[in-house]
Amino acid sequence: MKIKIRNIMALFTLTMAISAQATTKETVATVLAKKGDVSIISADNIVAAKRKSTLAELDKIATAKDAKASVKFNDGTITTLGSNSEMLIKGYKWSEDDKTPSAEFELVKGVFRTVTGLVTKVSNPSFTVKTPMGSIGIRGTDFWGGYLEEDAVDVLFVGGEHEIVVSNEFGTTVLTTPGQGTTIKAGQAPTAAKVWPQKKVDRAVKTITF
């Protein structure tokens, strides 16, 4: 009888261990640096982010007022959030031997800058940032996006060789040259691509500079 109970307990322990492993979330990114109050928000928990804290799919990273955070994804993509910002990792699929990697993010509020990594170094990359005003499609570049004004999302092509496609249900604008930007307002197509004045570029970059 004792042997049977011992076997049942061993089986129960093994089952629980396997279950725990199955529910462990796979790390897709790590916090490189932070300033001020930064949080990682998951479906069932909110924790204060620290340097080297990890994130998984469907996690959000959020910054408080005057806070900033820089996150590095497994493929080398680096995203920096400015003050009062929040971004959701909607989907992320990458490995060294994956020929069809993908990344999808959602800017809930605030501002960010992203320098893409290996996830866009394929023939047909899938890298998208959704915002409340429209989506930003990337083929591999350095770009900034977010709210410089409360009622509009701005997108700036900072650097790189590949175009940026900014679109919503009302239209599409393609940024082809570093320095170009576009603005999206509710109920309107993205504005035509144009080179931003240096003052506006400086204002955007300052929002994510530590």
Side-chain angles (χ1 to χ4, degrees), residues 57-74:
E57 276 190 320
L58 302 182
D59 282 350
K60 293 179 184 177
I61 184 162
T63 59
K65 183 179 179 182
D66 298 325
K68 295 180 175 69
S70 185
V71 176
K72 185 175 183 179
F73 289 83
N74 293 349

Side-chain angles (χ1 to χ4, degrees), residues 3-207:
I3 295 176
K4 184 177 290 187
I5 292 174
R6 192 180 300 123
N7 290 342
I8 291 172
M9 290 301 295
L11 180 61
F12 176 76
T13 302
L14 179 61
T15 301
M16 291 298 292
I18 293 173
S19 177
Q21 289 177 357
T23 57
T24 299
K25 296 191 296 184
E26 181 180 352
T27 296
V28 301
T30 304
V31 176
L32 277 182
K34 64 174 286 288
K35 174 185 177 184
D37 294 331
V38 180
S39 300
I40 297 173
I41 306 168
S42 61
D44 55 2
N45 199 17
I46 300 176
V47 298
K50 301 177 181 179
R51 185 173 177 272
K52 295 187 179 180
S53 291
T54 60
L55 297 96
E57 276 190 320
L58 302 182
D59 282 350
K60 293 179 184 177
I61 184 162
T63 59
K65 183 179 179 182
D66 298 325
K68 295 180 175 69
S70 185
V71 176
K72 185 175 183 179
F73 289 83
N74 293 349
D75 70 299
T77 292
I78 296 176
T79 292
T80 302
L81 294 180
S83 173
N84 278 330
S85 300
E86 186 175 318
M87 180 171 279
L88 167 67
I89 306 171
K90 293 194 71 173
Y92 182 86
K93 183 172 74 75
W94 180 84
S95 66
E96 291 184 357
D97 56 355
D98 191 342
K99 299 186 183 303
T100 58
S102 61
E104 183 179 0
F105 306 94
E106 180 178 342
L107 179 70
V108 179
K109 64 177 183 177
V111 296
F112 74 99
R113 179 176 180 175
T114 291
V115 180
T116 57
L118 296 176
V119 73
T120 58
K121 304 296 185 182
V122 293
S123 58
N124 188 27
S126 176
F127 191 108
T128 305
V129 179
K130 294 186 176 180
T131 79
M133 305 293 183
S135 66
I136 309 167
I138 308 302
R139 290 186 59 81
T141 188
D142 177 354
F143 67 105
W144 177 97
Y147 290 86
L148 285 178
E149 308 296 341
E150 290 184 0
D151 64 343
V153 170
D154 281 298
V155 181
L156 171 66
F157 188 165
V158 178
E161 301 177 353
H162 300 287
E163 63 189 23
I164 300 173
V165 179
V166 183
S167 62
N168 60 15
E169 60 184 303
F170 303 100
T172 298
T173 291
V174 180
L175 307 180
T176 59
T177 306
Q180 287 184 333
T182 183
T183 300
I184 323 171
K185 292 188 175 183
Q188 300 178 24
T191 59
K194 67 177 182 180
V195 176
W196 281 9
Q198 190 60 46
K199 185 176 181 179
K200 187 173 183 179
V201 172
D202 292 343
R203 184 183 170 198
V205 173
K206 185 179 179 180
T207 64

